[in-house]
Amino acid sequence: MKLYDNAHAPNPRRVRMVLAEKAIEYEREILDLGAGDNLTTDFCSKNPTAKVPVLELDDGLCLAETGAICRFLDESYPQPLLYGSGVKERAKIDMWDHRMELGLMIYAAMGFQHTSGFFKDRMTPVEAWGLECIKNFHATLPVLEAQLSNNEWIAGDEFTIADITAVCAIDFARVLKVRVGDEYPNIQRWHAAMKQRPSYAA
Ligand SMILES: N[C@@H](CCC(=O)N[C@@H](CS)C(=O)NCC(=O)O)C(=O)O
């Protein structure tokens, strides 16, 4: 399988971390997003929304949307299981993964796109919206802090996909000068644990 990737973007990193957790071998093609490598006809035939990541399987099927790719990998390579087992556990993991995606990842991405102008050749940045997104990102941190004050990992006792989604969003938010300060000791404790995992370097 082949991953269409970018080293700085947070969503492809989620997929790389899942691949690393499961020790899956894959080919990698790095796209320069600033130069518009993702806007070519060839790449858009793999993903009509012109975004990375895309995972191209050996039979030619191209999967896009990070959550769909990660779930596909989890079901195809269940060791270690990142989306849980059993109806309730899976729902709880999904709930936290969605909270991390909607409350951190999307706001970090929108904050970046609308305040940096990095993609102004292909979108209209609205700075006020970008600043609002950064505010909303900050508003999710107390929710995460409370959860981690009672749980080792975001969805409970086990490391899951929600931890991967959250760490990719939080690390990416550094570009917005967002730091997880001392008012969030449990997020700091969790982040230090994330750094210990070999997949963190993916
Ligand atoms: N909903 C998509 C979002 C993917 C996405 O926003 N990818 C960004 C990098 S993290 C991208 O390719 N941006 C290039 C562009 O907007 O031109 C997913 O979950 O995979």
Side-chain angles (χ1 to χ4, degrees), residues 57-94:
L57 305 185
D58 295 343
D59 66 1
L61 176 65
C62 287
L63 292 175
E65 296 304 325
T66 305
I69 297 171
C70 293
R71 192 178 280 279
F72 164 79
L73 290 171
D74 203 47
E75 290 182 11
S76 306
Y77 303 84
Q79 291 306 323
L81 207 50
L82 297 173
Y83 282 83
S85 60
V87 178
K88 280 191 188 165
E89 188 187 308
R90 289 170 73 88
K92 191 173 164 197
I93 293 168
D94 266 344

Side-chain angles (χ1 to χ4, degrees), residues 10-79:
N11 284 304
R13 184 176 176 219
R14 289 162 70 190
V15 176
R16 291 198 305 277
M17 285 188 71
V18 169
L19 289 161
E21 285 287 337
K22 295 171 178 293
I24 301 169
E25 289 188 9
Y26 62 102
E27 251 184 276
R28 191 176 176 209
E29 182 168 325
I30 296 177
L31 277 67
D32 181 341
L33 300 180
D37 289 356
N38 57 313
L39 306 177
T40 63
T41 313
D42 183 43
F43 184 73
C44 289
S45 71
K46 300 181 191 304
N47 181 7
T49 68
K51 308 277 185 202
V52 288
V54 168
L55 188 68
E56 186 169 35
L57 305 185
D58 295 343
D59 66 1
L61 176 65
C62 287
L63 292 175
E65 296 304 325
T66 305
I69 297 171
C70 293
R71 192 178 280 279
F72 164 79
L73 290 171
D74 203 47
E75 290 182 11
S76 306
Y77 303 84
Q79 291 306 323

Side-chain angles (χ1 to χ4, degrees), residues 157-195:
D157 296 336
E158 305 292 335
F159 172 85
T160 70
I161 191 68
D163 298 291
I164 290 178
T165 303
V167 84
C168 291
I170 286 173
D171 287 352
F172 181 71
R174 287 196 205 122
V175 77
L176 303 168
K177 305 208 169 7
V178 172
R179 297 280 182 278
V180 174
D182 293 343
E183 67 273 39
Y184 299 118
N186 288 290
I187 302 181
Q188 290 184 341
R189 183 262 308 151
W190 161 85
H191 194 271
M194 289 298 300
K195 276 185 156 170

